[in-house]
Amino acid sequence: MTLPFRKDLDKYKDLDEDEILGKLSEEELKQLETVLDDLDPENALLPAGFRQKDQTAKKASGPFDRERLLAYLEKQALEHKDREDYVPFTREKKGKIFIPKQKPVQSYTEEKFSLDPELEEALTSATDTELGDLAAILGMSNLITNNQFCDVVGGSNGIDKDSFSNIVKGEKMLPVFDEPPNPTNVEETLQRIKDNDSRLVEVNLNNIKNIPIPTLKEFAKALETNTHVKNFSLAATRSNDPVAVALADMLRVNTELRSLNIESNFITGVGILALVDALKDNETLTEIKIDNQRQQLGTVAEVEIAKMLEENTKILKFGYHFTQQGPRARAAAAITKNNDLVRKRRVEGDN
């Protein structure tokens, strides 16, 4: 089967391109080169010869001859004058030959001493227990074990092996058990928030890894109309930027929440900036924790956090470790000022 667009190409099969180019004038050839300038040199669909115009000004020297090229390169190398050395090479050895120093070999001479016949006979016939007692009395405790030393020294003083300080004992390893899983029922808690249950004051979803992102966004949506929940914590729940944006929308309308914890999640600077923007208008939240995210928030986010803390006088606790010195100092000063204002109001109220 012949494709429709190939029917019109059959008449060009027998054309001689070289003959057509030979009939073109010099002006027409230059015009053709101008057209080729507009071609894309990185277009892989074009042949290599059509991606860029021919810029060679030298006339063709014939077909490629490898042996002739090598002979030409060798001739050029021999005719090129070598650079003269600053110090001519004369094969003369200068300096002293390195001879390593011979380390003196230490020789030990065995000292010969003689004991009285009675002492030599007593040491020869002594048992291991008696030799250990003698070593302990002479203070050579490195020659005997701790138990032997305790038997000789501690036994006479009423000290047993358990209370002997020279005996090193390993401490008993205490087992470290994993933390119990969070017992919070996610579906039931979400329904109680939607129903505005007055007994539900604190919601703790920490370390529950399998909560879907849409469910977390539903929690934020339900808190918009809830008037009883004071503390909301979802640390280490794999929350991300969409969850942070949903929480930011909640903070703009919620007037009862006092504490928010979103530490150890996957929230980036985008989500944190959304929360910061919402906190500028929130006047009820007093504590927020955003530390230990998967990646650093960046300088821009830290500057905006410091600016928000300077404008919001209600936040008394802010959980985040700043990486920049400037925003850290501004945030610390803002938190100190907010706590001083609360203390001043309390003192004025008592009076």
Side-chain angles (χ1 to χ4, degrees):
M1 179 179 178
T2 305
L3 297 176
F5 69 92
R6 291 184 178 273
K7 294 181 180 180
D8 299 334
L9 300 178
D10 295 335
K11 58 183 179 180
Y12 299 109
K13 287 184 178 180
D14 299 331
L15 289 179
D16 188 359
E17 292 85 0
D18 295 334
E19 181 182 357
I20 296 176
L21 292 174
K23 296 180 180 179
L24 294 177
S25 62
E26 184 177 354
E27 184 178 355
E28 291 174 338
L29 289 175
K30 289 184 178 180
Q31 184 179 0
L32 183 60
E33 289 180 358
T34 305
V35 174
L36 292 176
D37 288 341
D38 298 333
L39 297 179
D40 186 5
E42 298 182 358
N43 189 357
L45 301 177
L46 290 176
F50 291 151
R51 297 180 192 174
Q52 191 174 8
K53 69 176 183 177
D54 187 8
Q55 301 178 7
T56 305
K58 180 183 175 182
K59 295 183 179 179
S61 58
F64 175 71
D65 188 351
R66 183 176 181 275
E67 299 298 333
R68 184 179 176 185
L69 176 61
L70 292 176
Y72 173 76
L73 294 176
E74 184 177 0
K75 179 182 176 184
Q76 288 287 97
L78 294 174
E79 293 178 354
H80 183 74
K81 185 178 180 181
D82 295 336
R83 185 184 64 179
E84 296 182 0
D85 296 331
Y86 293 106
V87 179
F89 179 67
T90 59
R91 297 183 180 275
E92 179 184 356
K93 293 184 179 180
K94 297 182 179 181
K96 297 181 180 180
I97 300 176
F98 173 74
I99 300 176
K101 296 181 179 180
Q102 299 293 335
K103 294 183 179 179
V105 179
Q106 297 180 358
S107 60
Y108 299 94
T109 58
E110 185 177 356
E111 297 181 2
K112 296 182 180 181
F113 56 92
S114 59
L115 298 174
D116 294 338
E118 296 179 359
L119 292 176
E120 188 173 357
E121 182 181 357
L123 292 174
T124 305
S125 60
T127 61
D128 293 340
T129 304
E130 294 174 345
L131 291 175
D133 295 344
L134 180 60
I137 294 172
L138 296 177
M140 295 182 291
S141 58
N142 57 336
L143 300 179
I144 58 177
T145 62
N146 287 334
N147 291 333
Q148 292 174 341
F149 188 73
C150 178
D151 291 336
V152 177
V153 179
S156 60
N157 298 330
I159 302 175
D160 56 355
K161 295 181 180 180
D162 294 335
S163 60
F164 190 62
S165 61
N166 198 28
I167 299 178
V168 179
K169 294 184 178 180
E171 297 182 359
K172 185 179 180 181
M173 297 295 296
L174 299 177
V176 179
F177 300 99
D178 295 335
E179 294 184 2
N182 193 331
T184 304
N185 189 321
V186 178
E187 290 77 10
E188 180 183 352
T189 304
L190 177 59
Q191 188 60 41
R192 291 178 64 185
I193 294 176
K194 292 181 178 179
D195 297 339
N196 202 10
D197 189 351
S198 59
R199 295 172 299 174
L200 185 63
V201 179
E202 181 177 357
V203 178
N204 182 4
L205 304 177
N206 295 346
N207 300 316
I208 303 180
K209 309 290 185 181
N210 56 353
I211 304 179
I213 297 300
T215 304
L216 294 174
K217 295 170 69 174
E218 287 185 22
F219 272 97
K221 187 68 176 177
L223 286 172
E224 293 182 3
T225 56
N226 188 280
T227 58
H228 296 94
V229 175
K230 305 296 182 182
N231 302 323
F232 185 60
S233 180
L234 62 163
T237 55
R238 303 180 185 271
S239 300
N240 52 11
D241 288 341
V243 178
V245 173
L247 292 173
D249 296 336
M250 177 269 297
L251 291 175
R252 288 187 174 91
V253 295
N254 185 286
T255 58
E256 299 296 332
L257 194 65
R258 299 292 184 269
S259 175
L260 177 64
N261 183 5
I262 55 173
E263 290 181 331
S264 303
N265 284 303
F266 300 158
I267 302 175
T268 64
V270 177
I272 297 299
L273 288 176
L275 287 170
V276 168
D277 186 62
L279 288 174
K280 293 179 180 179
D281 302 326
N282 187 285
E283 296 183 355
T284 56
L285 195 72
T286 59
E287 180 182 4
I288 180 171
K289 299 179 180 180
I290 63 172
D291 200 13
N292 194 30
Q293 302 299 330
R294 172 59 64 92
Q295 64 182 20
Q296 294 185 354
L297 303 183
T299 305
V300 177
E302 291 189 358
V303 171
E304 291 297 326
I305 290 173
K307 183 179 179 182
M308 178 272 297
L309 292 175
E310 291 173 343
E311 297 176 356
N312 190 323
T313 60
K314 302 297 181 180
I315 297 181
L316 306 178
K317 296 181 181 179
F318 190 81
Y320 175 69
H321 180 72
F322 287 86
T323 59
Q324 302 296 326
Q325 178 64 27
R328 183 191 305 125
R330 292 175 57 187
I335 293 296
T336 303
K337 183 191 69 173
N338 294 348
N339 283 273
D340 289 343
L341 291 175
V342 173
R343 180 183 56 81
K344 185 177 180 181
R345 295 192 196 103
R346 183 174 65 251
V347 171
E348 292 177 353
D350 295 339
N351 296 334

